[in-house]
Amino acid sequence: MKRLLVFLLCASAVFLSCKDNQIGSALTSAEISMNDNPESSLEVLESIDKDLLSTRKQKAKYALLYSMALDKNYIDIKSDSIIAPAVKYYECHGSKEERFLCNYYHARIYENAGDVKSALLAAVKAESTDTSKVNAEDKCLLYALKGRIYHDEWRIHESIDAYILASRYALESKKYRHYAYYTLKVADNYRYNNDIENLYKFLQAAEKYKSYYTLTETHNYKSLMLLYMIESNIDPIQCIKYAEQYLREYPHDKMINWHIIAKVYLYSGNPDKAFEMLQKYAEYNNISSAPQYYGLLADVLEELHDYNNALNANRIFTTLIKKRDAARHLSDIKLVEERFENEIV
């Protein structure tokens, strides 16, 4: 009887050891293919029986990798229940790289949920770890996240700083399309600050990697170039030629910023065509919270001598601007609070 019991215990230990090895191999496989083939990583992770995760370390690793795989497959999750075991474990255990990734993907979940304050705090935790062992591609993701959040919060200077770092790490990791994308984001932020010199500087930097552009970068580049031409008082005929060549290449594309095309036509003295372009903008965008639309509409209608509607458009523009200024003021207050919280972290 004793021999049978010993045999069963040994067999059980061997069985569990084999299962542990299988789980470990599956997790390693998912981790290796995460960047190049996230679809495969997600399939591997979803094939694992979570009841067989026998240690806190395995559960934490699975939680982190699964959160990563969902994010890289564009499956946005807004609850941190999946990543919670990883957050708790990597606070005191694991490598610095794992801690960085855990805090970054925790920030992504908060970003998806619209919890800006928690997202930035998680991002600060990631940034405050020793990132010397963290690869440039992951650091690029962190600063891109900060750039997006700061931009949406109208914290333009912080957004510029974050996107510059994102573009720098994208270049270091040889992600040239991402470098172009984030560099154009920097240029776009300088547009908000009416800094035409730096707008053009970063347009030129992005143009060097034009061969890597996707449709997104192409539209961003052309829109910003048109804005630069207007703000630099380039000959209106040249502006129209550039805009119409752009429209011939991408006719009726919803990715075109029709508001900027309308500005070009108004700049060149063609308010009728500008009004037509604004109608295109309204077709593809939610204009209820777009002060730039109503501001330009007021100018166009004034040129068309439709003064009553121009006045109405200007009133809507003023109301939306006041709301935006209030949001900026609130953002400034949050910035002060965040600085104190960062010091505490």
Side-chain angles (χ1 to χ4, degrees):
M1 186 67 180
K2 286 183 180 179
R3 288 181 181 178
L4 178 60
L5 182 59
V6 170
F7 173 77
L8 289 173
L9 287 172
C10 290
S12 177
V14 170
F15 175 77
L16 290 173
S17 176
C18 290
K19 285 295 181 183
D20 276 348
N21 289 337
Q22 288 177 2
I23 295 294
S25 297
L27 292 174
T28 301
S29 173
E31 186 174 18
I32 290 171
S33 60
M34 186 64 71
N35 287 328
D36 296 329
N37 194 353
E39 299 92 345
S40 173
S41 292
L42 185 58
E43 288 176 7
V44 170
L45 291 165
E46 290 185 333
S47 71
I48 293 174
D49 183 351
K50 292 191 286 294
D51 291 334
L52 297 178
L53 298 169
S54 58
T55 64
R56 283 185 64 209
K57 183 177 180 180
Q58 278 190 345
K59 290 173 182 177
K61 192 70 173 180
Y62 176 86
L64 174 58
L65 291 175
Y66 192 42
S67 299
M68 292 171 66
L70 289 170
D71 188 73
K72 288 179 180 292
N73 282 282
Y74 307 103
I75 301 170
D76 293 340
I77 52 173
K78 299 180 181 181
S79 168
D80 62 358
S81 58
I82 292 174
I83 203 171
V87 172
K88 189 172 182 180
Y89 180 81
Y90 290 120
E91 278 182 345
C92 304
H93 304 89
S95 67
K96 291 172 182 176
E97 185 177 12
E98 287 169 323
R99 194 169 304 149
F100 173 92
L101 289 171
C102 185
N103 284 312
Y104 166 72
Y105 283 99
H106 203 192
R108 280 286 296 127
I109 292 168
Y110 283 130
E111 184 187 16
N112 292 338
D115 187 346
V116 171
K117 183 178 178 181
S118 296
L120 285 174
L121 282 172
V124 167
K125 284 184 180 180
E127 196 175 5
S128 64
T129 59
D130 179 4
T131 58
S132 59
K133 297 291 179 67
V134 178
N135 66 53
E137 188 174 348
D138 290 327
K139 285 187 275 194
C140 171
L141 292 174
L142 174 69
Y143 289 108
L145 176 143
K146 293 184 73 174
R148 288 192 301 273
I149 292 175
Y150 286 139
H151 178 82
D152 291 344
E153 291 287 297
W154 289 102
R155 291 163 58 172
I156 303 302
H157 290 294
E158 287 95 337
S159 182
I160 287 170
D161 292 341
Y163 274 130
I164 286 174
L165 285 170
S167 63
R168 184 183 302 167
Y169 286 121
L171 194 59
E172 187 179 321
S173 57
K174 298 182 180 179
K175 298 288 184 179
Y176 300 123
R177 178 253 160 176
H178 293 87
Y179 169 79
Y181 179 81
Y182 297 131
T183 302
L184 289 170
K185 284 291 186 182
V186 176
D188 190 39
N189 274 310
Y190 276 120
R191 168 175 71 98
Y192 281 94
N193 276 1
N194 296 313
D195 187 340
I196 304 307
E197 184 179 341
N198 273 313
L199 163 62
Y200 187 59
K201 172 185 171 182
F202 282 91
L203 273 177
Q204 287 181 306
E207 190 176 12
K208 294 176 183 177
Y209 293 86
K210 208 169 182 177
S211 60
Y212 295 94
Y213 283 8
T214 65
L215 202 55
T216 299
E217 289 76 50
T218 298
H219 283 297
N220 289 348
Y221 174 82
K222 290 184 178 293
S223 294
L224 289 169
M225 183 55 74
L226 282 168
L227 275 174
Y228 168 76
M229 294 171 78
I230 294 170
E231 296 298 329
S232 301
N233 298 313
I234 302 294
D235 182 3
I237 294 174
Q238 281 186 254
C239 293
I240 285 292
K241 282 183 178 178
Y242 190 94
E244 292 186 341
Q245 174 62 35
Y246 173 30
L247 294 178
R248 281 194 295 272
E249 291 174 5
Y250 303 96
H252 312 300
D253 197 310
K254 66 180 180 180
M255 290 182 70
I256 290 173
N257 191 327
W258 296 100
H259 170 264
I260 292 175
I261 303 297
K263 284 190 80 165
V264 173
Y265 279 111
L266 184 62
Y267 175 69
S268 64
N270 190 341
D272 289 295
K273 195 71 174 175
F275 183 74
E276 183 185 330
M277 297 300 104
L278 279 175
Q279 288 178 309
K280 285 274 190 187
Y281 181 85
E283 180 183 345
Y284 293 120
N285 297 275
N286 176 16
I287 60 172
S288 64
S289 58
Q292 70 275 13
Y293 167 81
Y294 288 102
L296 186 57
L297 179 62
D299 293 339
V300 169
L301 291 171
E302 185 178 357
E303 288 295 315
L304 293 171
H305 309 296
D306 186 351
Y307 299 114
N308 284 333
N309 284 323
L311 181 60
N312 289 334
N314 193 62
R315 283 171 178 161
I316 297 171
F317 167 74
T318 303
T319 301
L320 291 173
I321 283 293
K322 284 179 179 177
K323 286 182 180 178
R324 192 172 75 180
D325 287 345
R328 283 181 175 180
H329 179 64
L330 182 60
S331 179
D332 290 339
I333 294 171
K334 286 181 179 177
L335 175 60
V336 174
E337 291 175 348
E338 183 194 315
R339 282 174 179 162
F340 283 115
E341 287 168 347
N342 288 352
E343 290 298 323
I344 293 169
V345 171

